Coordinates of all heavy atoms in Angstrom, one line a residue:
M1 N -7.7 -2.4 6.4 CA -9.0 -2.2 5.9 C -9.0 -2.6 4.4 O -8.2 -2.2 3.6 CB -9.3 -0.7 6.0 CG -10.7 -0.3 5.5 SD -11.2 1.3 5.9 CE -9.9 2.3 5.2
R2 N -9.9 -3.5 4.1 CA -9.9 -4.1 2.8 C -11.1 -3.5 2.0 O -12.2 -3.4 2.5 CB -10.2 -5.6 2.9 CG -9.0 -6.3 3.5 CD -9.2 -7.8 3.6 NE -8.1 -8.4 4.3 CZ -7.0 -8.8 3.7 NH1 -6.9 -8.7 2.4 NH2 -6.0 -9.3 4.4
V3 N -10.7 -3.0 0.8 CA -11.7 -2.3 -0.1 C -11.7 -3.0 -1.4 O -10.6 -3.2 -2.0 CB -11.3 -0.8 -0.2 CG1 -12.3 -0.1 -1.2 CG2 -11.2 -0.1 1.1
P4 N -12.9 -3.3 -1.9 CA -13.0 -4.0 -3.3 C -12.3 -3.1 -4.3 O -12.4 -1.8 -4.3 CB -14.5 -4.1 -3.5 CG -15.1 -4.0 -2.2 CD -14.2 -3.1 -1.3
L5 N -11.7 -3.7 -5.3 CA -10.9 -3.0 -6.3 C -11.5 -3.2 -7.7 O -11.9 -4.3 -8.1 CB -9.5 -3.7 -6.2 CG -8.4 -3.3 -7.1 CD1 -8.2 -1.8 -6.9 CD2 -7.2 -4.1 -6.8
G6 N -11.7 -2.1 -8.4 CA -12.3 -2.2 -9.7 C -11.2 -2.3 -10.8 O -10.0 -2.1 -10.5
P7 N -11.6 -2.6 -12.0 CA -10.6 -2.8 -13.1 C -9.8 -1.5 -13.4 O -8.7 -1.5 -14.0 CB -11.4 -3.3 -14.3 CG -12.8 -2.9 -13.9 CD -12.9 -2.9 -12.5
E8 N -10.4 -0.4 -13.1 CA -9.8 0.9 -13.4 C -8.7 1.3 -12.4 O -7.9 2.3 -12.6 CB -10.8 2.0 -13.4 CG -11.4 2.4 -12.0 CD -12.4 1.3 -11.5 OE1 -12.8 0.4 -12.2 OE2 -12.8 1.5 -10.3
F9 N -8.5 0.5 -11.3 CA -7.6 0.9 -10.3 C -6.2 1.1 -10.7 O -5.6 2.2 -10.4 CB -7.6 -0.2 -9.2 CG -6.5 0.0 -8.2 CD1 -6.7 1.0 -7.2 CD2 -5.4 -0.7 -8.2 CE1 -5.7 1.3 -6.3 CE2 -4.4 -0.5 -7.2 CZ -4.5 0.5 -6.3
H10 N -5.6 0.2 -11.5 CA -4.2 0.3 -11.9 C -4.0 1.6 -12.8 O -3.0 2.3 -12.6 CB -3.7 -0.9 -12.6 CG -3.6 -2.1 -11.6 ND1 -2.7 -2.2 -10.7 CD2 -4.5 -3.1 -11.4 CE1 -2.9 -3.3 -9.9 NE2 -4.0 -3.9 -10.4
D11 N -4.9 1.9 -13.7 CA -4.8 3.1 -14.5 C -4.8 4.4 -13.6 O -4.0 5.3 -13.7 CB -5.9 3.2 -15.5 CG -5.7 2.2 -16.7 OD1 -4.5 1.7 -16.8 OD2 -6.6 1.9 -17.4
E12 N -5.8 4.4 -12.7 CA -6.0 5.6 -11.8 C -4.8 5.7 -10.9 O -4.4 6.8 -10.5 CB -7.3 5.5 -11.1 CG -8.5 5.6 -11.9 CD -9.8 5.5 -11.2 OE1 -9.8 5.1 -10.0 OE2 -10.8 5.9 -11.8
C13 N -4.3 4.6 -10.5 CA -3.1 4.6 -9.6 C -1.9 5.4 -10.2 O -1.3 6.2 -9.6 CB -2.7 3.2 -9.3 SG -2.0 2.9 -7.7
E14 N -1.7 5.1 -11.5 CA -0.6 5.8 -12.2 C -1.0 7.2 -12.5 O -0.2 8.1 -12.3 CB -0.3 5.0 -13.5 CG 0.6 3.9 -13.2 CD 1.2 3.3 -14.5 OE1 1.4 4.1 -15.5 OE2 1.4 2.1 -14.6
R15 N -2.2 7.4 -13.0 CA -2.6 8.8 -13.4 C -2.6 9.8 -12.3 O -2.2 10.9 -12.4 CB -4.0 8.7 -14.1 CG -4.4 10.0 -14.7 CD -5.5 9.8 -15.8 NE -6.3 8.6 -15.7 CZ -7.6 8.6 -15.5 NH1 -8.3 9.7 -15.4 NH2 -8.3 7.4 -15.5
F16 N -3.1 9.3 -11.1 CA -3.2 10.3 -10.0 C -2.1 10.1 -9.0 O -2.1 10.7 -7.9 CB -4.5 10.1 -9.3 CG -5.7 10.4 -10.2 CD1 -6.6 9.3 -10.5 CD2 -5.9 11.6 -10.7 CE1 -7.7 9.6 -11.4 CE2 -7.0 11.9 -11.5 CZ -7.9 10.9 -11.9
A17 N -1.1 9.2 -9.3 CA 0.1 9.0 -8.4 C -0.4 8.7 -7.0 O 0.1 9.3 -6.0 CB 1.0 10.2 -8.5
F18 N -1.3 7.7 -6.8 CA -1.7 7.3 -5.5 C -0.5 6.9 -4.6 O 0.4 6.2 -5.1 CB -2.7 6.2 -5.6 CG -4.0 6.5 -6.1 CD1 -4.9 5.5 -6.6 CD2 -4.5 7.8 -6.1 CE1 -6.1 5.8 -7.1 CE2 -5.8 8.1 -6.6 CZ -6.6 7.1 -7.1
R19 N -0.5 7.3 -3.4 CA 0.5 6.9 -2.4 C -0.2 6.2 -1.2 O -0.9 6.9 -0.5 CB 1.3 8.1 -2.0 CG 2.1 8.7 -3.1 CD 3.3 7.9 -3.5 NE 4.0 8.5 -4.6 CZ 3.9 8.1 -5.9 NH1 3.1 7.2 -6.2 NH2 4.6 8.7 -6.8
F20 N -0.1 4.9 -1.1 CA -0.8 4.2 0.0 C 0.0 3.0 0.5 O -0.5 2.3 1.4 CB -2.2 3.8 -0.4 CG -2.2 2.8 -1.6 CD1 -2.2 1.5 -1.4 CD2 -2.2 3.3 -2.9 CE1 -2.2 0.6 -2.5 CE2 -2.2 2.5 -4.0 CZ -2.2 1.1 -3.8
C21 N 1.1 2.7 -0.1 CA 1.9 1.6 0.3 C 3.0 1.9 1.3 O 3.4 3.1 1.5 CB 2.6 1.0 -1.0 SG 1.4 0.3 -2.2
C22 N 3.6 0.9 1.9 CA 4.6 1.1 2.9 C 5.7 2.0 2.5 O 6.3 2.8 3.2 CB 5.1 -0.2 3.4 SG 3.9 -1.2 4.3
E23 N 6.1 1.8 1.2 CA 7.3 2.5 0.7 C 7.1 4.1 0.8 O 8.1 4.8 0.8 CB 7.6 2.1 -0.7 CG 8.2 0.8 -0.9 CD 7.2 -0.4 -0.9 OE1 6.0 -0.2 -0.6 OE2 7.6 -1.5 -1.2
D24 N 5.9 4.5 0.9 CA 5.6 6.0 1.0 C 5.2 6.4 2.4 O 4.7 7.5 2.6 CB 4.5 6.4 0.0 CG 5.0 6.2 -1.4 OD1 6.0 6.7 -1.8 OD2 4.3 5.5 -2.2
C25 N 5.3 5.4 3.4 CA 4.9 5.7 4.7 C 6.1 6.1 5.6 O 7.2 5.5 5.5 CB 4.2 4.4 5.3 SG 3.7 4.5 7.0
A26 N 5.8 7.0 6.5 CA 6.9 7.5 7.4 C 7.3 6.4 8.4 O 8.4 6.5 8.9 CB 6.3 8.7 8.2
Y27 N 6.6 5.3 8.6 CA 6.9 4.3 9.5 C 7.7 3.1 8.9 O 7.9 2.1 9.5 CB 5.7 3.8 10.2 CG 5.0 4.8 11.0 CD1 3.7 5.2 10.7 CD2 5.6 5.6 12.0 CE1 3.0 6.2 11.4 CE2 5.0 6.6 12.7 CZ 3.7 6.9 12.4 OH 3.0 7.9 13.1
F28 N 8.0 3.2 7.6 CA 8.6 2.2 6.9 C 10.1 2.3 7.1 O 10.7 3.4 6.8 CB 8.3 2.3 5.4 CG 8.8 1.1 4.6 CD1 8.4 -0.2 4.9 CD2 9.6 1.3 3.4 CE1 8.8 -1.3 4.1 CE2 10.0 0.2 2.7 CZ 9.6 -1.1 3.0
L29 N 10.8 1.3 7.6 CA 12.2 1.4 8.0 C 13.1 0.9 6.9 O 12.6 0.3 5.9 CB 12.4 0.5 9.2 CG 11.6 0.8 10.5 CD1 11.9 -0.3 11.5 CD2 11.9 2.2 11.0
R30 N 14.3 1.3 7.0 CA 15.3 0.9 5.9 C 15.4 -0.6 5.7 O 15.7 -1.0 4.6 CB 16.7 1.5 6.2 CG 16.7 3.0 6.0 CD 18.1 3.6 6.2 NE 18.0 5.0 6.1 CZ 19.0 5.8 6.1 NH1 20.2 5.3 6.2 NH2 18.8 7.1 5.9
D31 N 15.3 -1.3 6.8 CA 15.3 -2.8 6.6 C 14.0 -3.4 6.2 O 13.8 -4.6 6.2 CB 15.8 -3.4 7.9 CG 14.8 -3.2 9.1 OD1 13.7 -2.7 8.9 OD2 15.2 -3.6 10.2
E32 N 13.1 -2.5 5.7 CA 11.8 -2.9 5.1 C 10.8 -3.4 6.1 O 9.8 -4.0 5.7 CB 12.0 -3.9 3.9 CG 12.9 -3.3 2.9 CD 12.9 -4.0 1.6 OE1 12.4 -5.1 1.5 OE2 13.3 -3.4 0.6
R33 N 11.0 -3.2 7.4 CA 10.1 -3.6 8.4 C 9.2 -2.4 8.7 O 9.6 -1.2 8.4 CB 10.7 -4.0 9.7 CG 11.4 -5.4 9.6 CD 12.0 -5.8 11.0 NE 12.9 -4.8 11.5 CZ 12.7 -4.1 12.6 NH1 11.6 -4.3 13.3 NH2 13.6 -3.2 13.0
C34 N 8.1 -2.6 9.4 CA 7.2 -1.5 9.8 C 7.7 -1.1 11.2 O 8.0 -2.0 12.1 CB 5.8 -2.0 9.9 SG 4.7 -0.8 10.7
A35 N 7.9 0.2 11.5 CA 8.3 0.7 12.8 C 7.4 0.3 13.9 O 7.8 0.2 15.1 CB 8.5 2.2 12.8
H36 N 6.1 0.0 13.5 CA 5.1 -0.5 14.5 C 5.0 -2.0 14.5 O 4.0 -2.5 15.1 CB 3.8 0.2 14.3 CG 3.9 1.7 14.5 ND1 2.9 2.6 14.2 CD2 4.8 2.5 15.0 CE1 3.2 3.8 14.5 NE2 4.4 3.8 15.0
D37 N 5.8 -2.6 13.8 CA 5.8 -4.1 13.8 C 4.6 -4.7 13.2 O 4.2 -5.9 13.4 CB 6.1 -4.7 15.2 CG 7.5 -4.7 15.5 OD1 8.4 -4.6 14.6 OD2 7.8 -4.7 16.8
W38 N 3.9 -4.0 12.3 CA 2.7 -4.5 11.6 C 3.3 -5.5 10.5 O 4.3 -5.2 9.9 CB 1.9 -3.5 10.9 CG 1.1 -2.6 11.9 CD1 1.3 -1.3 12.1 CD2 0.1 -3.0 12.8 NE1 0.5 -0.8 13.0 CE2 -0.3 -1.8 13.5 CE3 -0.5 -4.2 13.1 CZ2 -1.3 -1.9 14.5 CZ3 -1.5 -4.2 14.0 CH2 -1.9 -3.1 14.7
P39 N 2.6 -6.6 10.3 CA 2.9 -7.4 9.1 C 2.6 -6.5 7.8 O 1.5 -6.0 7.7 CB 2.0 -8.6 9.2 CG 0.9 -8.2 10.1 CD 1.4 -7.1 11.0
N40 N 3.5 -6.4 6.9 CA 3.3 -5.4 5.9 C 3.4 -6.0 4.5 O 3.3 -5.2 3.5 CB 4.3 -4.2 6.0 CG 5.8 -4.7 5.8 OD1 6.0 -5.8 5.5 ND2 6.7 -3.7 6.0
A41 N 3.4 -7.3 4.3 CA 3.5 -7.9 3.0 C 2.3 -7.4 2.1 O 2.5 -7.2 0.9 CB 3.5 -9.4 3.1
E42 N 1.1 -7.3 2.6 CA 0.0 -6.9 1.8 C 0.0 -5.4 1.5 O -0.8 -5.0 0.6 CB -1.3 -7.3 2.4 CG -1.5 -8.8 2.4 CD -2.9 -9.1 2.9 OE1 -3.2 -8.9 4.1 OE2 -3.7 -9.7 2.2
H43 N 0.8 -4.6 2.2 CA 0.8 -3.2 1.9 C 1.9 -2.7 1.0 O 2.0 -1.6 0.7 CB 0.9 -2.4 3.3 CG -0.1 -2.7 4.3 ND1 -1.4 -2.5 4.0 CD2 0.0 -3.3 5.5 CE1 -2.1 -2.9 5.1 NE2 -1.3 -3.3 6.0
R44 N 2.8 -3.7 0.7 CA 4.0 -3.3 -0.1 C 3.6 -3.1 -1.6 O 2.7 -3.7 -2.1 CB 5.0 -4.4 0.0 CG 5.5 -4.6 1.4 CD 6.3 -3.5 1.9 NE 7.4 -3.2 1.1 CZ 8.6 -3.9 1.1 NH1 8.7 -4.9 2.0 NH2 9.6 -3.6 0.3
R45 N 4.3 -2.1 -2.2 CA 4.1 -1.8 -3.6 C 4.1 -3.0 -4.5 O 3.3 -3.2 -5.5 CB 5.1 -0.8 -4.1 CG 4.6 0.2 -5.1 CD 5.6 1.2 -5.4 NE 5.7 2.3 -4.5 CZ 6.8 3.0 -4.1 NH1 7.9 2.7 -4.7 NH2 6.7 4.0 -3.3
A46 N 5.1 -3.9 -4.2 CA 5.3 -5.1 -5.1 C 4.1 -6.0 -5.1 O 3.8 -6.7 -6.1 CB 6.5 -5.9 -4.6
A47 N 3.3 -6.0 -4.0 CA 2.1 -6.8 -3.9 C 1.1 -6.4 -5.0 O 0.3 -7.2 -5.5 CB 1.5 -6.8 -2.5
Y48 N 1.1 -5.1 -5.3 CA 0.1 -4.6 -6.3 C 0.7 -4.8 -7.7 O -0.1 -5.1 -8.7 CB -0.2 -3.2 -6.1 CG -1.0 -3.0 -4.8 CD1 -0.4 -2.9 -3.6 CD2 -2.4 -3.2 -4.9 CE1 -1.2 -2.9 -2.4 CE2 -3.2 -3.1 -3.8 CZ -2.5 -3.0 -2.5 OH -3.3 -3.0 -1.4
A49 N 2.0 -4.7 -7.9 CA 2.6 -4.9 -9.2 C 2.5 -6.4 -9.6 O 2.3 -6.7 -10.8 CB 4.0 -4.4 -9.2
A50 N 2.7 -7.2 -8.7 CA 2.7 -8.7 -9.0 C 1.3 -9.2 -9.2 O 1.2 -10.2 -9.9 CB 3.4 -9.4 -7.8
E51 N 0.3 -8.6 -8.6 CA -1.0 -9.2 -8.6 C -1.9 -8.3 -9.4 O -2.7 -7.6 -8.9 CB -1.6 -9.4 -7.2 CG -0.8 -10.3 -6.4 CD -1.4 -10.5 -5.0 OE1 -2.6 -10.6 -4.9 OE2 -0.6 -10.4 -4.0
V52 N -1.8 -8.4 -10.7 CA -2.6 -7.5 -11.6 C -4.1 -7.8 -11.5 O -4.9 -6.9 -11.5 CB -2.1 -7.7 -13.1 CG1 -3.0 -6.9 -14.0 CG2 -0.7 -7.3 -13.3
A53 N -4.4 -9.0 -11.2 CA -5.8 -9.4 -11.0 C -6.3 -9.2 -9.6 O -7.4 -9.8 -9.2 CB -6.0 -10.8 -11.5
R54 N -5.6 -8.6 -8.8 CA -6.0 -8.4 -7.4 C -7.4 -7.8 -7.2 O -7.7 -6.9 -8.0 CB -4.9 -7.5 -6.7 CG -5.0 -7.5 -5.2 CD -3.8 -6.8 -4.6 NE -4.0 -6.7 -3.2 CZ -3.0 -6.7 -2.4 NH1 -1.8 -6.8 -2.7 NH2 -3.3 -6.6 -1.1
R55 N -8.1 -8.3 -6.3 CA -9.5 -7.8 -6.2 C -9.8 -6.9 -5.0 O -10.9 -6.5 -4.9 CB -10.4 -9.0 -6.1 CG -10.2 -9.9 -7.3 CD -11.3 -10.9 -7.5 NE -10.9 -11.6 -8.7 CZ -11.8 -12.0 -9.6 NH1 -13.1 -11.8 -9.4 NH2 -11.4 -12.7 -10.6
E56 N -8.8 -6.6 -4.2 CA -9.0 -5.7 -3.1 C -7.8 -4.9 -2.8 O -6.6 -5.4 -3.0 CB -9.5 -6.4 -1.9 CG -8.6 -7.4 -1.4 CD -9.2 -8.3 -0.3 OE1 -10.4 -8.1 0.0 OE2 -8.4 -9.0 0.3
I57 N -7.9 -3.7 -2.3 CA -6.8 -2.9 -1.8 C -6.8 -3.1 -0.3 O -7.9 -3.2 0.4 CB -7.1 -1.4 -2.0 CG1 -7.4 -1.1 -3.5 CG2 -5.8 -0.6 -1.6 CD1 -7.8 0.3 -3.8
V58 N -5.6 -3.2 0.3 CA -5.5 -3.4 1.7 C -4.9 -2.1 2.3 O -3.6 -1.9 2.1 CB -4.7 -4.6 2.1 CG1 -4.6 -4.8 3.6 CG2 -5.2 -5.9 1.4
F59 N -5.7 -1.3 2.8 CA -5.2 0.0 3.4 C -4.7 -0.2 4.8 O -5.4 -0.9 5.6 CB -6.2 1.1 3.4 CG -6.5 1.7 2.0 CD1 -7.7 1.4 1.4 CD2 -5.6 2.5 1.4 CE1 -8.0 1.9 0.2 CE2 -5.8 3.0 0.2 CZ -7.0 2.7 -0.5
C60 N -3.7 0.4 5.2 CA -3.2 0.4 6.6 C -3.7 1.6 7.3 O -3.5 2.8 6.8 CB -1.7 0.3 6.6 SG -1.0 0.5 8.3
K61 N -4.3 1.5 8.4 CA -4.9 2.6 9.1 C -3.8 3.5 9.8 O -4.1 4.6 10.2 CB -5.9 2.2 10.2 CG -7.2 1.7 9.5 CD -8.2 1.3 10.6 CE -9.5 0.9 10.0 NZ -10.5 0.6 11.0
E62 N -2.6 3.0 9.8 CA -1.6 3.8 10.4 C -0.7 4.5 9.4 O 0.3 5.1 9.7 CB -0.7 3.0 11.4 CG -1.5 2.7 12.6 CD -0.6 2.3 13.8 OE1 0.6 2.6 13.8 OE2 -1.1 1.7 14.7
F63 N -1.0 4.3 8.1 CA -0.2 4.9 7.0 C -0.1 6.4 7.3 O -1.1 7.1 7.6 CB -0.9 4.7 5.7 CG -0.2 5.4 4.5 CD1 0.8 4.8 3.9 CD2 -0.6 6.7 4.1 CE1 1.5 5.4 2.8 CE2 0.0 7.3 3.1 CZ 1.1 6.7 2.4
E64 N 1.2 6.9 7.2 CA 1.5 8.3 7.4 C 2.4 8.7 6.2 O 3.5 8.3 6.1 CB 2.2 8.5 8.7 CG 2.4 9.9 9.1 CD 1.1 10.6 9.5 OE1 0.3 10.0 10.3 OE2 0.9 11.8 9.1
L65 N 1.8 9.5 5.3 CA 2.6 9.9 4.1 C 3.9 10.6 4.6 O 3.9 11.6 5.4 CB 1.8 10.9 3.3 CG 2.4 11.3 1.9 CD1 2.6 10.0 1.0 CD2 1.5 12.3 1.2
R66 N 5.0 10.2 4.0 CA 6.3 10.8 4.4 C 6.6 12.0 3.5 O 6.0 12.2 2.5 CB 7.5 9.8 4.3 CG 7.8 9.2 3.0 CD 9.1 8.5 3.0 NE 9.0 7.1 3.4 CZ 10.0 6.4 3.7 NH1 11.2 6.9 3.8 NH2 9.8 5.1 4.0
Ligands
SF4_101 S1 2.3 1.8 9.4 FE1 1.3 0.5 7.9 S2 1.7 1.5 5.9 FE2 3.2 2.3 7.4 S3 5.0 0.9 7.3 FE3 3.6 0.1 8.9 S4 2.4 -1.4 7.8 FE4 3.3 -0.1 6.3

């Protein structure tokens, strides 16, 4: 699910400690694959750190907080 991203996102992400990336998901395996075999490059934390000007958040509907 793609959601438009405002300029305040990165500040709020840190302030409220948002957890929405694969690294915080119960289905994220040690070898960095998704247990359900979803392509996960867009859900990884690094994708947000590397793309400061990113314009959308890509939520995974199967995210399960660990
Ligand atoms: S279910 Fe979604 S959020 Fe969880 S590891 Fe797989 S791709 Fe990532």
Side-chain angles (χ1 to χ4, degrees):
M1 182 168 57
R2 295 178 182 274
V3 177
L5 180 59
E8 70 285 353
F9 171 76
H10 291 286
D11 286 342
E12 290 179 348
C13 209
E14 277 192 33
R15 187 159 22 121
F16 299 114
F18 288 161
R19 298 288 178 257
F20 61 93
C21 296
C22 294
E23 286 83 349
D24 295 306
C25 176
Y27 300 122
F28 190 57
L29 303 175
R30 288 184 183 187
D31 64 5
E32 303 193 345
R33 288 183 306 114
C34 171
H36 293 171
D37 282 336
W38 291 115
N40 64 4
E42 290 187 295
H43 302 299
R44 300 291 303 279
R45 211 177 278 148
Y48 291 87
E51 298 180 45
V52 175
R54 192 168 172 150
R55 300 195 180 218
E56 60 186 7
I57 307 172
V58 184
F59 286 110
C60 174
K61 289 184 174 180
E62 289 202 17
F63 176 86
E64 188 73 42
L65 187 62
R66 62 167 92 197

